[in-house]
Amino acid sequence: MVSPATAAPAGSGIRRIVAASLVGTTVEWYDFFLYGSAAALVFNTLFFPSSDPLTGTVLAFLTYAVGFVARPLGGIVFGHFGDRTGRKKLLVLSLLMMGGATFAMGLLPTHASIGAGAPLLLTLLRLIQGFALGGEWGGAVLLVSEHGGDRHRGFWASWPQAGAPGGNLLATGVLALLAAVQSEEAFLAWGWRIPFLLSGVLVVIGLWIRISVSESPVFLAARRAADEQAAAGVAEKPPVLQVLRTGRRQVLTAIGTRLGENVSYYVLTAFLLVYVTTHLGLPKSAALNAVLIGSAVHFVTIPLWGALSDRIGRRPVTLVGAVGMAGWAFAFFALLDTESFPVIASAVTVGLLLHGAMYGPQAAFLSEMFDTKVRYSGASMGSQLASVIGGALAPVIAVELLKDYGSSVPVSVYLSFTALVTAVTVFAARETRGRDLAVDGPAAVLPRPRTPGGVPSGPAGTPADRRSG
C-alpha cells in the first residue's frame, strides 16, 4: 500500500516541481557566480585598484568570500522558518533577496567615483547574496526530495543541483558574449553592468514558476503532527537546537562530504579565471569559454550521477568523484600549462565531470540524513558551514599559494587534500539510499533486504512499489 506522505506525485507533478526548483536555483546561482567571475575579471580593477594585479584579485575574492560567510546564517534563519512554516515561502523570499542584491550591483558607482564607499557597498550587497543563497539550497532540494518517491530520489533531487552549473553557464556565457562583442575599455566602462541588471528579468521568470508549485506533503504531515503535540501541551524546541542536540554527527558528515566538492568547484571555475589570465597571460575568453564547455557537460551529467546513486548508493558514487578529484588535481594544472585551448577545455570538463559525481548524489544524501522536523535546518547548516570552510576560502587560498610559490603544485596539494577528506568522510558514513523521509528516528534508515528475485525492497521491508516516482 502506498503511503500518502511518501508516494511520489504523478509524473507531470514531480516534473513541474523539479522545473520550478531548477529554474529558481539556476537564477540564484547565476547571481552568485556572476560575482565570482566579475571578481576575477572586473572588480579587482574597478573596486580594488592596486599596482599588483594579484593583490587586487585577492581583495576582490575576499568580498567574494564574505558572501560565503553569510551563508550559514542564512541557512539557520531560513532553515528555522522553513521547518516551521514551509519550504515554498522561504524559497520565494530567497529568490527576491538574491535578485534584488544582484540588480543593485549593476547600479553601483565604482572606486573612481566615490572611493572607499564603492567596495563597502559591494560587500554589503554580497552579504545579502550569501544570506539568501544560504536559505535557497536547502529549500530547493528538500522540496523535490520530499515530493519524489524513495526509488528515484537521487535522480530527481539532483536536478536542483544542476542549477549550479546552469547558473554558472548562464553567467559565464553572458560575460563571454560581452567580452567578444565589446572592447576591453567598453566592457570595463559599462558592459560589465549588463549581466547584473539582467538578473531583474530572470527573477521575474523564476518567481512566476516557483509560486505555482505546492508545499511538500512530507512537511505538511510533519507540521500537522507538531501542531497536535503543541495542542497537547508538548513544547517544541527550535529546529537548530534540536540539530545541535541530536544531529551533530550528521552535520559533521555533511561538512566533510561537501568540503572537497566545494573547494574543487571554485578552484576549477573561479580560480581558473585568475590562473589562465594572470599567471599564463592568456585572453579571458580562453578561460570563460573553457568554463562554458565544462559547465554544459556538468549540467547534463549531474542528473546521471544522481540516477546512478539510486542504483548503487550515494556513497560509492561520491567516492568515485572524491578519489578521482584527488588525483586529477595534479593533472589539471599540468594541462592548463600547455596553454592550448582544447587541452584547457578538456581539463576543466574532466574536472567538472568528477565534481558532478560528488555533487549529483549530494542533495538526496544530505536530505536523507535528517528527520523532517529539522531537515531544512540540519541540511542547510551542514551544507553552508562547509561552504565557508571550502568555497569561501578556496579562491583566496589558491591565489595566495600561487602568489607565494609561483607554482601550481601547492594548489594541487590543497585541492587533493580536501578531496581526500571528503573520501574518508563518505567512506565512514552510513548509506542512506532508500530512506523513507516520512519516517523519523532510528528506524528511518534500515538495511534494505532483498526479495527472492534479488530486487531490494523498501527500507523497512515495505514493497518496492512504495518507492516508485
Side-chain angles (χ1 to χ4, degrees):
M1 183 171 179
V2 180
S3 165
T6 58
S12 60
I14 186 63
R15 290 186 184 93
R16 185 174 64 251
I17 293 158
V18 167
S21 292
L22 175 59
V23 170
T25 53
T26 299
V27 171
E28 296 210 35
W29 281 115
Y30 165 83
D31 292 345
F32 202 77
F33 287 139
L34 183 60
Y35 189 101
S37 298
L41 301 173
V42 179
F43 290 164
N44 56 337
T45 302
L46 298 180
F47 289 86
F48 304 94
S50 170
S51 57
D52 179 3
L54 281 180
T55 299
T57 301
V58 168
L59 292 174
F61 273 141
L62 284 174
T63 63
Y64 182 63
V66 163
F68 287 86
V69 173
R71 282 168 64 172
L73 180 59
I76 291 172
V77 174
F78 277 81
H80 173 84
F81 290 102
D83 282 327
R84 288 290 178 88
T85 65
R87 299 14 177 158
K88 177 181 171 179
K89 296 175 184 176
L90 277 299
L91 284 176
V92 171
L93 178 59
S94 69
L95 186 60
L96 285 171
M97 289 181 66
M98 174 68 84
T102 305
F103 184 84
M105 285 180 183
L107 303 175
L108 279 181
T110 63
H111 188 279
S113 300
I114 63 170
L120 288 176
L121 289 172
L122 184 67
T123 303
L124 175 61
L125 292 174
R126 183 61 177 172
L127 281 168
I128 296 173
Q129 274 192 332
F131 183 83
L133 192 64
E136 157 70 20
W137 182 85
V141 300
L142 293 188
L143 198 64
V144 176
S145 295
E146 294 176 346
H147 268 96
D150 302 345
R151 186 176 181 185
H152 299 300
R153 183 179 297 124
F155 173 69
W156 291 123
S158 67
W159 278 102
Q161 299 286 79
N168 202 13
L169 185 65
L170 191 58
T172 307
V174 172
L175 286 171
L177 177 62
L178 290 171
V181 301
Q182 286 186 313
S183 66
E184 187 79 16
E185 294 74 19
F187 183 73
L188 287 174
W190 58 270
W192 67 271
R193 298 181 183 275
I194 295 175
F196 288 89
L197 298 177
L198 179 62
S199 176
V201 178
L202 297 177
V203 166
V204 171
I205 297 172
L207 283 175
W208 177 67
I209 296 175
R210 184 162 277 184
I211 288 173
S212 67
V213 302
S214 58
E215 183 56 84
S216 156
V218 172
F219 166 78
L220 292 175
R223 190 67 260 164
R224 284 193 295 269
D227 290 342
E228 290 172 2
Q229 288 185 327
V234 179
E236 187 178 24
K237 289 185 173 63
V240 65
L241 295 182
Q242 295 183 56
V243 171
L244 293 175
R245 185 170 61 88
T246 63
R248 291 188 297 272
R249 181 188 177 95
Q250 293 94 315
V251 170
L252 291 174
T253 299
I255 291 172
T257 300
R258 286 214 70 196
L259 181 64
E261 170 268 307
N262 226 228
V263 168
S264 63
Y265 189 77
Y266 292 102
V267 169
L268 292 171
T269 56
F271 175 69
L272 168 84
L273 302 179
V274 178
Y275 190 83
V276 170
T277 57
T278 303
H279 186 69
L280 299 181
L282 298 178
K284 61 175 168 286
S285 59
L288 289 170
N289 289 331
V291 174
L292 269 175
I293 294 169
S295 294
V297 174
H298 199 208
F299 180 86
V300 172
T301 54
I302 282 176
L304 300 181
W305 288 119
L308 183 61
S309 78
D310 286 326
R311 298 185 64 85
I312 67 174
R314 320 297 184 213
R315 293 171 64 250
V317 177
T318 306
L319 282 170
V320 167
V323 174
M325 187 63 72
W328 190 250
F330 294 93
F332 177 68
F333 288 101
L335 293 172
L336 296 186
D337 290 340
T338 65
E339 300 186 13
S340 165
F341 175 74
V343 175
I344 292 173
S346 298
V348 174
T349 300
V350 173
L352 289 177
L353 188 65
L354 292 170
H355 173 269
M358 293 184 279
Y359 198 54
Q362 192 179 97
F365 195 24
L366 268 61
S367 298
E368 291 161 346
M369 289 182 188
F370 298 94
D371 292 346
T372 303
K373 60 185 178 180
V374 298
R375 187 167 293 132
Y376 202 145
S377 297
S380 295
M381 191 183 304
S383 172
Q384 302 313 328
L385 285 173
S387 74
V388 175
I389 302 169
L393 298 178
V396 177
I397 290 174
V399 171
E400 283 292 345
L401 289 172
L402 180 64
K403 185 180 174 184
D404 291 344
Y405 294 95
S407 167
S408 62
V409 174
V411 183
S412 297
V413 172
Y414 165 58
L415 175 54
S416 182
F417 172 75
T418 57
L420 288 175
V421 170
T422 289
V424 171
T425 301
V426 172
F427 183 79
R430 186 177 186 180
E431 180 60 64
T432 62
R433 176 176 64 114
R435 170 173 180 170
D436 182 350
L437 294 186
V439 177
D440 289 344
V445 183
L446 299 174
R448 291 158 54 85
R450 290 186 173 272
T451 64
V455 178
S457 65
T462 53
D465 66 348
R466 189 188 58 75
R467 297 181 288 108
S468 65

